[in-house]
Amino acid sequence: MPSSAIRAAPPICDLLSVLKKEEENCAETLSLEARNRTPENDLLLTSGRCAGMWDNMSCWPSSAVGQTVDAPCPKFFQMLTGKKGFVYRNCTSEGWSDPYPRPDIACGYNVNDTTNEKRQAYFMTLKTMYTIGYCTSLVTLTIALVVLASLRRLRCTRNYIHMHLFTSFILRASSNFIKDAVLFSSEDTNYCEAYTAGCKLTMVFFQYCIMSNYSWLLVEGLYLHALLVISFFSERKFFWWFITLGWGAPTVFVAAWATARQLHENTGCWDINTNANTWWIIRGPVVLSIFINFILFINILRILMKKLSSPERRSSNFNQYKRLAKSTLLLIPLFGVHYIIFAFFPEDTSSGTMEIQLFFELALGSFQGFFVAVLYCFLNGEVQLEVQRKWRQWHLSKHLGQHVSTSASNGGSGLTQEMQIVKSSPPQHRRATLQRSSML
């Protein structure tokens, strides 16, 4: 799960927030330096020394004449380029020299380079792709959720879990649209501070939806594994534990992440993760859940292969679990294998790793909900049979309703003629006529 914002450069609000934080840190450093100044240092300062300063990008501590001082690349440059470097200044008798090399060159930002423009074009294309993917998933998942919820004969623990999974995918798609609406809104710097609280809450909600989605994927694996392994499986009892795991566990980790961001990395809109330790509060449980799911499905596959050669293979329950396992195992490559591969890669925007990771995570990942709806609902044999039964029932009731209404409109004259025929006809013919009337 890479940084959630998709763009070639961070928004101006994030850059200004980081720059302001750096200036505050520099002021504290220079203030501490002034408080710790001794008379001997004051004498050196008057005899030849460069005073500490903030040059609107980097912090330079007080230095003696003849010293060369280095400063790391400003953080906002690192956010733009993903590269680290150093800028230098000489302390001369006339004061500080100009920085060298130029900060943009030292930090890998080439104003004449078109790479950033190409990257931005790629990210905008990627944004279009995952917007289409999430829209497709949102529509199909909503239809699938309505179908499962409206068919009474399909109401069971297995389908209830599917419905919660559908809901988690719907929330994931919806939160992505909300996040984009906030992050890609107006970048007027006068409103940066006004939208900070709402923007952070949006990112907290977004991260919760992502984690709950992976939690319900884990629930799917645990449920299927329990069906095959546990002999006497109380579905109702375990269902409430599944709900706690699916919706409750993400709350704990997202709350811990939000607290850590507020205390240790309260910069920007919380959409860019520069502190790996803080980011692993969310990334760690997700990677662990995917790894557990993968182990569960490997064991499920082993059990199924073993039971296929046993007399139990003709059991109706086993055929049901087998169908469910096929659908679930088919989804495993789509559900996080790529996440485990990229989880331990550094998020270096200067390499091509980030672009590939974002493509798998967003462009392809946005269609996951669509595949879930298709496999668990639209291609489900039980759902198809029940929908066909409901369709025939509705079609038959509509046809009978039209027939009854037609008969009622002609009921006066038709019924009178029928009664006259019955009265004047022989008993055998009368019985046949009455039988035809009763059939109507």
Side-chain angles (χ1 to χ4, degrees):
M1 190 163 44
S3 299
S4 52
I6 302 304
R7 49 184 171 268
I12 189 64
C13 289
D14 286 348
L15 296 177
L16 291 177
S17 176
V18 168
L19 195 61
K20 181 179 179 181
K21 185 67 176 178
E22 289 292 291
E23 184 178 4
E24 291 174 354
N25 292 338
C26 183
E28 291 180 5
T29 301
L30 298 179
S31 176
L32 181 63
E33 181 184 276
R35 288 197 300 269
N36 294 335
R37 187 175 299 161
T38 62
E40 291 79 8
N41 290 337
D42 290 337
L43 181 62
L44 289 174
L45 183 62
T46 56
S47 62
R49 195 170 176 87
C50 299
M53 69 172 184
W54 165 256
D55 65 356
N56 295 324
M57 287 193 297
S58 300
C59 188
W60 303 94
S62 300
S63 302
V65 173
Q67 285 188 339
T68 299
V69 182
D70 62 83
C73 279
K75 280 193 176 181
F76 74 89
F77 266 131
Q78 295 182 32
M79 293 169 63
L80 291 170
T81 64
K83 294 182 178 180
K84 296 182 179 179
F86 289 91
V87 182
Y88 303 89
R89 281 181 186 266
N90 293 325
C91 179
T92 67
S93 57
E94 298 179 357
W96 289 106
S97 67
D98 292 333
Y100 66 91
R102 281 195 346 236
D104 57 332
I105 297 176
C107 304
Y109 186 79
N110 188 352
V111 293
N112 297 321
D113 189 6
T114 60
T115 303
N116 286 331
E117 295 179 3
K118 293 179 181 178
R119 185 177 295 159
Q120 181 167 359
Y122 170 76
F123 286 157
M124 290 302 103
T125 302
L126 195 63
K127 182 176 182 292
T128 302
M129 292 177 63
Y130 77 68
T131 300
I132 294 174
Y134 279 125
C135 285
T136 304
S137 296
L138 193 60
V139 172
T140 53
L141 286 165
T142 303
I143 296 174
L145 185 61
V146 171
V147 169
L148 289 184
S150 60
L151 299 177
R152 289 188 176 182
R153 291 192 177 186
L154 298 180
R155 293 178 183 176
C156 60
T157 302
R158 171 168 52 87
N159 285 333
Y160 285 150
I161 292 176
H162 291 342
M163 291 165 64
H164 280 278
L165 180 63
F166 293 169
T167 304
S168 71
F169 271 107
I170 290 173
L171 288 175
R172 179 173 180 171
S174 302
S175 66
N176 191 81
F177 293 138
I178 296 172
K179 180 258 301 179
D180 282 355
V182 173
L183 294 181
F184 290 92
S185 60
S186 173
E187 298 292 353
D188 188 347
T189 58
N190 293 326
Y191 297 95
C192 288
E193 295 298 327
Y195 290 111
T196 298
C199 190
K200 292 175 182 177
L201 288 176
T202 299
M203 292 308 304
V204 170
F205 176 68
F206 175 75
Q207 300 296 351
Y208 173 78
C209 293
I210 295 291
M211 285 204 72
S212 62
N213 185 224
Y214 282 104
S215 295
W216 277 105
L217 287 172
L218 177 60
V219 168
E220 287 278 355
L222 290 171
Y223 174 74
L224 180 57
H225 190 265
L227 286 178
L228 295 175
V229 173
I230 302 177
S231 301
F232 300 98
F233 179 50
S234 176
E235 295 188 0
R236 182 179 297 273
K237 177 181 178 181
F238 276 87
F239 181 65
W240 292 107
W241 285 106
F242 289 152
I243 290 181
T244 303
L245 175 62
W247 298 118
T251 305
V252 176
F253 292 105
V254 172
W257 172 78
T259 303
R261 287 296 304 243
Q262 180 68 31
L263 297 177
H264 305 294
E265 197 184 353
N266 189 19
T267 57
C269 189
W270 295 1
D271 57 318
I272 296 177
N273 305 286
T274 56
N275 189 329
N277 295 330
T278 303
W279 184 224
W280 271 97
I281 296 175
I282 287 182
R283 173 181 280 187
V286 171
V287 172
L288 181 62
S289 68
I290 294 172
F291 182 75
I292 294 174
N293 238 353
F294 189 74
I295 298 299
L296 288 175
F297 289 128
I298 293 297
N299 194 41
I300 289 170
L301 188 60
R302 181 188 63 81
I303 295 172
L304 288 175
M305 292 297 104
K306 184 178 180 180
K307 288 190 175 184
L308 279 174
S309 58
S310 69
E312 295 181 9
R313 65 182 182 272
R314 300 193 178 187
S315 170
S316 59
N317 288 335
F318 179 74
N319 290 331
Q320 172 186 329
Y321 303 153
K322 181 180 174 183
R323 289 194 303 268
L324 184 60
K326 281 183 178 179
S327 299
T328 309
L329 289 171
L330 185 60
L331 294 173
I332 285 302
L334 303 173
F335 290 157
V337 174
H338 67 278
Y339 189 98
I340 295 179
I341 294 174
F342 288 107
F344 301 97
F345 276 73
E347 294 188 1
D348 186 4
T349 58
S350 62
S351 65
T353 306
M354 176 62 73
E355 283 78 359
I356 298 173
Q357 183 180 3
L358 290 175
F359 178 78
F360 277 97
E361 180 68 22
L362 295 171
L364 297 183
S366 62
F367 286 94
Q368 286 180 350
F370 168 75
F371 290 118
V372 168
V374 169
L375 290 173
Y376 282 166
C377 182
F378 302 128
L379 294 183
N380 188 308
E382 293 178 347
V383 176
Q384 291 177 349
L385 290 175
E386 185 63 17
V387 170
Q388 290 173 4
R389 190 186 70 83
K390 284 288 186 180
W391 170 257
R392 288 194 299 267
Q393 183 179 0
W394 176 81
H395 188 70
L396 180 61
S397 62
K398 181 180 179 183
H399 177 73
L400 290 177
Q402 291 177 347
H403 189 77
V404 170
S405 63
T406 303
S407 300
S409 62
N410 299 324
S413 59
L415 186 59
T416 302
Q417 292 176 3
E418 193 74 26
M419 292 302 295
Q420 290 176 352
I421 293 174
V422 170
K423 288 180 180 180
S424 61
S425 61
Q428 187 176 5
H429 178 68
R430 189 182 307 169
R431 284 194 298 269
T433 305
L434 289 173
Q435 288 176 357
R436 290 196 302 270
S437 299
S438 63
M439 289 176 62
L440 295 177

